[in-house]
Amino acid sequence: DQQVKQNSPSLSVQEGRISILNCDYTNSMFDYFLWYKKYPAEGPTFLISISSIKDKNEDGRFTVFLNKSAKHLSLHIVPSQPGDSAVYFCAATSRDGATNKLIFGSGTLLAVQP
Amino acid sequence: NAGVTQTPKFQVLKTGQSMTLQCAQDMNHNSMYWYRQDPGMGLRLIYYSASEGTTDKGEVPNGYNVSRLNKREFSLRLESAAPSQTSVYFCASRLGQLSGYGYTFGSGTRLTVV
């Protein structure tokens, strides 16, 4: 049973518009959430994170929103640029304990059209 | 450059052959992880090592073994490769308690088992 779900395998947006990537989770013990970006033939790279004590975190063009009651988070990219075209993975973890294993979603392929 | 280095980048194996995927990090990180990425499945944890001298199973450990050789190196071994192990394998590391940037990933090993 997937604990972190990204239900949209792909998304296409026009350059300059907003991209919204969604993620749902089932485990109420998760208290820290991250987004990773992955280009072909490269490893994932960290993009932005949010703690469960917040409902929004912003870093430049990237904003992550967390709705704990709905167990839902989203990544907003404004404005979208062609260089943002990549696979985006949502990940979640519980920060108590020593291991802090990240559980990943299946990813969303974002294509930003010039 | 500091980071996580994986070797080899590509490998083709015949069913039943064995091989070891190597991973090394030079960031003095305590914890190291092995993930596999498959289409539609995202990143799934195979094994991890919370600290030097310890290893534990992740979500999909069957068919694999690991060795935490020292603080820097964490290897993944396939004793008898099967076509179901065709995948892209990523090694990752992190310093300690989860920080804003999560894990650092290597660039991956693309393995094909024929």
Side-chain angles (χ1 to χ4, degrees), chain A residues 14-49:
Chain A
Q14 290 291 321
E15 181 178 5
R17 298 292 191 102
I18 184 171
S19 295
I20 300 176
L21 293 88
N22 294 304
C23 178
D24 297 294
Y25 62 96
T26 58
N27 190 336
S28 59
M29 298 300 293
F30 289 149
D31 60 3
Y32 198 75
F33 305 89
L34 306 89
W35 285 93
Y36 279 80
K37 178 178 180 179
K38 184 185 179 305
Y39 293 117
E42 295 184 10
T45 55
F46 170 75
L47 187 58
I48 193 169
S49 62

XYZ file of all heavy atoms in Angstrom, chain A residues 14-49:
304
model
N 2.318 25.846 -19.989
C 2.992 26.814 -20.839
C 3.991 27.621 -20.011
O 3.766 27.907 -18.830
C 1.968 27.763 -21.464
C 1.078 27.113 -22.514
C 1.851 26.753 -23.764
O 2.721 27.487 -24.208
N 1.543 25.600 -24.327
N 5.075 27.979 -20.644
C 6.068 28.833 -20.003
C 5.403 30.094 -19.461
O 4.555 30.699 -20.118
C 7.156 29.213 -21.015
C 8.257 30.084 -20.448
C 9.332 30.394 -21.483
O 9.169 30.003 -22.658
O 10.344 31.020 -21.105
N 5.768 30.464 -18.247
C 5.213 31.661 -17.629
C 3.980 31.401 -16.773
O 3.617 32.237 -15.936
N 3.343 30.252 -16.997
C 2.148 29.923 -16.213
C 2.536 29.229 -14.916
O 3.701 28.905 -14.689
C 1.224 29.020 -17.034
C 0.701 29.648 -18.306
C -0.246 30.785 -18.014
N -0.964 31.246 -19.187
C -2.217 30.947 -19.468
N -2.909 30.174 -18.661
N -2.787 31.423 -20.550
N 1.533 28.959 -14.101
C 1.768 28.257 -12.844
C 1.708 26.747 -13.063
O 0.862 26.239 -13.806
C 0.740 28.685 -11.769
C 1.051 28.015 -10.433
C -0.673 28.353 -12.217
C 0.214 28.556 -9.273
N 2.642 26.033 -12.434
C 2.599 24.567 -12.382
C 2.198 24.177 -10.968
O 2.763 24.700 -9.994
C 3.964 23.965 -12.695
O 4.360 24.227 -14.010
N 1.246 23.265 -10.857
C 0.815 22.773 -9.549
C 0.930 21.257 -9.551
O 0.260 20.569 -10.318
C -0.628 23.190 -9.228
C -0.749 24.709 -9.212
C -1.049 22.609 -7.865
C -2.161 25.221 -8.996
N 1.801 20.762 -8.690
C 2.004 19.320 -8.560
C 1.446 18.888 -7.209
O 1.705 19.524 -6.192
C 3.486 18.971 -8.666
C 4.124 19.211 -10.037
C 4.645 20.635 -10.148
C 5.238 18.226 -10.288
N 0.706 17.798 -7.215
C 0.002 17.366 -6.016
C 0.548 16.058 -5.448
O 1.114 15.231 -6.184
C -1.478 17.192 -6.321
C -2.143 18.502 -6.649
O -2.091 19.437 -5.857
N -2.765 18.586 -7.823
N 0.333 15.890 -4.150
C 0.830 14.713 -3.445
C -0.108 14.435 -2.270
O -0.501 15.366 -1.558
C 2.252 14.985 -2.959
S 3.018 13.658 -2.017
N -0.456 13.183 -2.072
C -1.284 12.776 -0.930
C -0.531 11.726 -0.115
O 0.239 10.945 -0.668
C -2.604 12.179 -1.414
C -3.438 13.181 -2.170
O -3.880 14.158 -1.548
O -3.612 13.000 -3.386
N -0.776 11.721 1.173
C -0.136 10.728 2.023
C -1.163 10.120 2.969
O -2.220 10.703 3.226
C 1.049 11.326 2.792
C 0.696 12.439 3.753
C 0.485 12.183 5.103
C 0.599 13.752 3.306
C 0.179 13.200 5.986
C 0.290 14.775 4.175
C 0.086 14.503 5.513
O -0.226 15.520 6.382
N -0.845 8.934 3.449
C -1.805 8.225 4.296
C -1.339 8.091 5.741
O -2.161 7.910 6.636
C -2.081 6.824 3.734
O -0.841 6.104 3.648
C -2.719 6.902 2.354
N -0.046 8.146 5.972
C 0.498 7.904 7.303
C 0.480 9.190 8.129
O 1.200 10.139 7.833
C 1.934 7.383 7.170
C 2.503 6.877 8.490
O 2.066 7.279 9.558
N 3.483 6.002 8.401
N -0.328 9.215 9.166
C -0.456 10.425 10.000
C 0.785 10.674 10.854
O 0.904 11.723 11.486
C -1.688 10.319 10.891
O -1.595 9.176 11.715
N 1.728 9.725 10.877
C 2.972 9.914 11.625
C 3.981 10.764 10.854
O 4.956 11.247 11.426
C 3.607 8.565 11.966
C 2.744 7.686 12.853
S 2.388 8.464 14.426
C 4.012 8.477 15.163
N 3.773 10.942 9.567
C 4.693 11.766 8.785
C 4.645 13.208 9.301
O 3.550 13.776 9.481
C 4.334 11.752 7.309
C 4.612 10.455 6.616
C 3.820 10.054 5.547
C 5.659 9.637 6.996
C 4.060 8.856 4.888
C 5.911 8.437 6.344
C 5.101 8.049 5.288
N 5.809 13.785 9.530
C 5.827 15.159 10.027
C 6.807 16.047 9.256
O 7.070 17.180 9.654
C 6.128 15.196 11.519
C 7.486 14.586 11.863
O 8.225 14.193 10.934
O 7.798 14.498 13.059
N 7.352 15.523 8.168
C 8.278 16.325 7.375
C 8.150 15.871 5.942
O 8.131 14.668 5.669
C 9.703 16.124 7.886
C 10.674 17.193 7.455
C 10.641 18.456 8.042
C 11.624 16.941 6.476
C 11.532 19.435 7.660
C 12.505 17.921 6.097
C 12.458 19.161 6.685
O 13.336 20.136 6.315
N 8.073 16.846 5.029
C 7.791 16.538 3.639
C 8.786 17.273 2.750
O 9.154 18.418 3.026
C 6.355 16.951 3.292
C 5.338 16.328 4.202
C 4.967 16.968 5.383
C 4.780 15.098 3.914
C 4.055 16.396 6.252
C 3.866 14.510 4.776
C 3.506 15.159 5.944
N 9.182 16.608 1.679
C 10.191 17.174 0.789
C 9.770 16.977 -0.658
O 9.051 16.028 -0.994
C 11.557 16.503 0.998
C 12.129 16.465 2.414
C 11.685 15.220 3.171
C 13.653 16.520 2.370
N 10.250 17.864 -1.500
C 10.126 17.697 -2.935
C 11.520 17.591 -3.533
O 12.418 18.375 -3.193
C 9.392 18.866 -3.582
C 7.919 18.856 -3.352
C 7.240 19.488 -2.343
C 6.928 18.191 -4.146
N 5.893 19.239 -2.452
C 5.670 18.464 -3.562
C 6.960 17.407 -5.306
C 4.468 17.973 -4.074
C 5.779 16.925 -5.820
C 4.538 17.204 -5.212
N 11.669 16.604 -4.438
C 12.906 16.416 -5.162
C 12.621 16.571 -6.642
O 11.540 16.233 -7.133
C 13.483 15.014 -4.908
C 14.246 14.882 -3.616
C 13.578 14.711 -2.414
C 15.633 14.930 -3.602
C 14.281 14.586 -1.228
C 16.343 14.802 -2.418
C 15.652 14.638 -1.242
O 16.350 14.519 -0.058
N 13.639 17.020 -7.351
C 13.565 17.217 -8.793
C 14.592 16.287 -9.429
O 15.707 16.157 -8.929
C 13.898 18.672 -9.099
C 13.920 19.082 -10.535
C 14.231 20.578 -10.585
C 14.270 21.116 -11.973
N 14.560 22.574 -11.974
N 14.205 15.657 -10.549
C 15.131 14.729 -11.183
C 15.134 14.924 -12.689
O 14.102 14.807 -13.357
C 14.749 13.283 -10.851
C 15.753 12.273 -11.408
C 15.301 10.865 -11.187
C 16.317 9.902 -11.790
N 16.589 10.152 -13.205
N 16.356 15.200 -13.202
C 16.559 15.237 -14.641
C 16.989 13.852 -15.113
O 17.548 13.073 -14.337
C 17.640 16.249 -15.008
C 17.265 17.687 -14.748
C 17.963 18.471 -13.836
C 16.209 18.289 -15.435
C 17.639 19.792 -13.613
C 15.875 19.617 -15.219
C 16.588 20.357 -14.299
O 16.254 21.669 -14.082
N 16.779 13.532 -16.392
C 17.212 12.243 -16.931
C 18.700 12.015 -16.709
O 19.512 12.929 -16.822
C 16.880 12.361 -18.422
C 15.782 13.362 -18.493
C 16.066 14.345 -17.406
N 19.047 10.789 -16.359
C 20.437 10.355 -16.178
C 21.138 11.063 -15.013
O 22.371 11.073 -14.948
C 21.249 10.539 -17.458
N 20.372 11.668 -14.131
C 20.949 12.274 -12.936
C 20.216 11.765 -11.697
O 19.102 11.246 -11.781
C 20.842 13.798 -12.987
C 21.650 14.432 -14.100
C 21.574 15.954 -14.041
O 21.062 16.496 -13.045
O 22.036 16.589 -15.002
N 20.847 11.935 -10.531
C 20.164 11.604 -9.303
C 19.195 12.703 -8.896
O 19.303 13.842 -9.343
N 18.213 12.372 -8.049
C 17.295 13.403 -7.561
C 18.047 14.462 -6.759
O 19.011 14.157 -6.054
C 16.347 12.617 -6.654
C 16.478 11.191 -7.075
C 17.887 11.038 -7.525
N 17.585 15.690 -6.863
C 18.169 16.775 -6.076
C 17.073 17.449 -5.260
O 15.944 17.625 -5.732
C 18.872 17.823 -6.958
O 17.939 18.296 -7.936
C 20.069 17.231 -7.658
N 17.427 17.826 -4.052
C 16.473 18.439 -3.136
C 15.998 19.782 -3.679
O 16.791 20.582 -4.188
C 17.127 18.631 -1.771
C 16.321 19.467 -0.827
C 15.198 18.945 -0.214
C 16.681 20.783 -0.565
C 14.453 19.718 0.655
C 15.946 21.557 0.301
C 14.824 21.028 0.909
N 14.703 20.036 -3.537
C 14.119 21.279 -4.026
C 13.603 22.150 -2.882
O 14.031 23.289 -2.701
C 12.982 20.963 -4.987
C 12.338 22.102 -5.746
C 13.358 22.845 -6.583
C 11.207 21.570 -6.634
N 12.701 21.617 -2.084
C 12.088 22.382 -1.008
C 11.451 21.423 -0.021
O 11.105 20.289 -0.388
C 11.043 23.381 -1.583
C 10.611 24.401 -0.532
C 9.845 22.636 -2.164
C 9.794 25.559 -1.122
N 11.325 21.864 1.226
C 10.722 20.992 2.238
C 9.761 21.797 3.112
O 9.734 23.034 3.068
C 11.808 20.370 3.125
O 12.519 21.374 3.832
